[in-house]
Amino acid sequence: MAFESKYKSQGTSYAAGTVLERTVPETLDEGVTHLVITDVVNDGVKHSPWGDNPRLTIVMESTTPSKKYPGKKVTLRKAMNAVLGPQSNFGLFIQALGFEIGKKFEVISLQGVSFDAVVKNTLSEKTETLYSNITHESIIPGTIKGVPAQQV
């Protein structure tokens, strides 16, 4: 006899024998890789003792074929506060890509920008998971393409 939930489900019920598996991100080999920004995701607001900050995640696709998802490429995700300050992670990242920081920035203009960057793999002590990372400092100048002309 299957467990019958009193709640209406939008899909398959977890109680119907579903086994959850911990997802492990796919990593890239350390070194130089080519990346294309394919999406910028609005992550909502992060609440902290220092105030509320809007968050975003930049999704970048590599040229490396995925072993986990055949026919797709390995993607990197870089989450950060959506703050335009010249010393903020987001501000430093978009400046490294050749964008100017003004009073406003159209986040959609990041989509399609491509560049080479040095990838470094880091082991999280908390989760014991290996992640591929890039920073604004790892973006290689002279390899950036797709930045609107008024920004260059």
Side-chain angles (χ1 to χ4, degrees):
M1 182 169 140
F3 174 82
E4 224 165 285
S5 175
K6 63 181 179 179
Y7 301 104
K8 295 231 182 234
S9 175
Q10 296 298 322
T12 306
S13 171
Y14 281 121
T18 301
V19 176
L20 298 178
E21 186 176 325
R22 181 174 166 228
T23 58
V24 178
E26 211 165 0
T27 57
L28 293 166
D29 290 336
E30 286 192 328
V32 177
T33 193
H34 186 74
L35 298 167
V36 178
I37 298 174
T38 57
D39 200 3
V40 180
V41 179
N42 179 347
D43 291 336
V45 175
K46 178 182 178 184
H47 305 287
S48 77
W50 301 275
D52 296 344
N53 288 309
R55 298 279 295 172
L56 58 78
T57 298
I58 299 173
V59 181
M60 299 161 280
E61 185 178 85
S62 72
T63 54
T64 304
S66 172
K67 294 175 186 158
K68 199 173 183 180
Y69 305 104
K72 299 196 180 228
K73 309 279 187 196
V74 176
T75 59
L76 296 183
R77 297 174 180 275
K78 184 164 182 61
M80 60 190 86
N81 289 338
V83 177
L84 280 178
Q87 295 303 310
S88 69
N89 284 335
F90 183 66
L92 291 168
F93 188 80
I94 64 174
Q95 286 179 92
L97 290 174
F99 288 93
E100 293 177 14
I101 294 181
K103 291 186 181 206
K104 293 182 180 182
F105 180 78
E106 290 199 31
V107 178
I108 192 73
S109 61
L110 288 171
Q111 211 164 15
V113 172
S114 66
F115 56 94
D116 290 349
V118 178
V119 173
K120 185 175 183 340
N121 292 330
T122 309
L123 182 65
S124 166
E125 291 178 17
K126 184 178 179 182
T127 63
E128 297 182 353
T129 303
L130 190 66
Y131 295 95
S132 291
N133 295 299
I134 67 161
T135 67
H136 66 279
E137 295 167 328
S138 63
I139 296 171
I140 300 172
T143 65
I144 303 159
K145 294 184 173 55
V147 177
Q150 69 270 18
Q151 293 291 328
V152 180

